[in-house]
Amino acid sequence: MALHIKHLKTSGTIMRSSPFLISRLLRAIDFSRATTVVQLGVGTGCITKALLRRMRPDARLISLELNTAFIEENRDLTDPRLSLVQGCAGDLPAIARDLGLGELDYIVSSLPLAIMDDELVERILVASDDLLADSGMFLQYQYSLSQRSNLERRFRDVRVGFTLVNIPPAFVYECTPGMARAAAR
Ligand SMILES: C[S@@+](CC[C@H](N)C(=O)[O-])C[C@H]1O[C@@H](n2cnc3c(N)ncnc32)[C@H](O)[C@@H]1O
């Protein structure tokens, strides 16, 4: 279970997400209509696999991971719907453009926002709000509420859930996009 010790600085945890946390995180996704899903922070790949198990046969999953070791660990995921991309979540707009992605249905993030650089977090949240369809959602788990106000500033609506059945227990944020578009109207 202790998986991330070598990469603690960027992974932000030493434990794999529990099946309960994964189910809670993905609960808001309407898999019957999701055709373009982006995942930020692949880690051990357990959320990637859970997404692929639920996604439509014609859907696309773009999974971004910064760390070479985690990219290598997930090389055996050869599902044709999956694009495993090594890169920084802060470069999501350029990556989405290069891959020819249109509006995104969901972004599922395991990024350790609380220990990341503020400017990078800001860039990721603004880009996510901008790239998601109005009907889409940004889903994020965290081990504290420290990022709640940050998320509330960047998204039109934020709902917070909680699961005890993870080590450590985790908060799940369900964020509705459209903040920038609403401000522009
Ligand atoms: C908390 S771990 C994910 C754990 C995963 N949910 C699991 O159960 O295995 C966070 C992941 O985000 C990745 N990461 C951190 N900063 C990143 C960035 N700027 N862009 C992309 N991935 C990043 C880390 O390398 C790590 O794999």
Side-chain angles (χ1 to χ4, degrees):
M1 285 284 267
L3 296 153
H4 301 159
I5 288 170
K6 279 188 295 184
H7 318 292
L8 194 55
K9 248 176 103 178
T10 50
S11 67
T13 182
I14 55 163
M15 301 301 278
R16 187 193 295 266
S17 307
S18 75
F20 297 95
L21 172 56
I22 297 173
S23 293
R24 179 63 191 83
L25 180 67
L26 305 186
R27 194 170 79 183
I29 298 183
D30 178 355
F31 284 100
S32 68
R33 68 161 190 86
T35 53
T36 312
V37 179
V38 166
Q39 183 195 10
L40 305 178
V42 177
T44 61
C46 54
I47 294 177
T48 317
K49 288 177 198 149
L51 281 164
L52 290 169
R53 272 198 300 276
R54 293 162 168 81
M55 282 170 65
R56 284 163 42 152
D58 62 341
R60 196 166 175 198
L61 175 62
I62 298 88
S63 294
L64 278 190
E65 171 57 52
L66 190 60
N67 193 307
T68 309
F70 287 129
I71 288 284
E72 291 312 319
E73 195 170 323
N74 288 289
R75 282 279 179 228
D76 60 335
L77 286 178
T78 52
D79 191 299
R81 297 168 297 172
L82 172 68
S83 304
L84 182 62
V85 178
Q86 181 163 20
C88 177
D91 297 328
L92 181 58
I95 292 166
R97 202 168 44 243
D98 290 350
L99 292 174
L101 304 180
E103 283 189 324
L104 307 181
D105 294 312
Y106 295 95
I107 297 176
V108 180
S109 170
S110 304
L111 296 174
L113 299 180
I115 60 164
M116 287 167 62
D117 177 72
D118 290 347
E119 186 272 332
L120 176 58
V121 172
E122 170 88 359
R123 193 145 48 94
I124 293 166
L125 299 184
V126 169
S128 297
D129 179 65
D130 186 48
L131 290 167
L132 281 161
D134 280 343
S135 57
M137 204 170 265
F138 178 88
L139 302 167
Q140 169 81 57
Y141 75 81
Q142 293 280 276
Y143 303 125
S144 77
L145 289 169
S146 70
Q147 293 298 307
R148 183 179 188 159
S149 58
N150 220 3
L151 290 161
E152 285 173 345
R153 253 199 317 280
R154 290 293 151 216
F155 290 97
R156 200 152 48 87
D157 185 53
V158 176
R159 275 179 290 159
V160 188
F162 182 69
T163 179
L164 265 174
V165 196
N166 191 66
I167 303 173
F171 294 93
V172 170
Y173 294 94
E174 298 170 346
C175 309
T176 306
M179 188 66 137
R181 290 184 286 278
R185 270 178 220 131

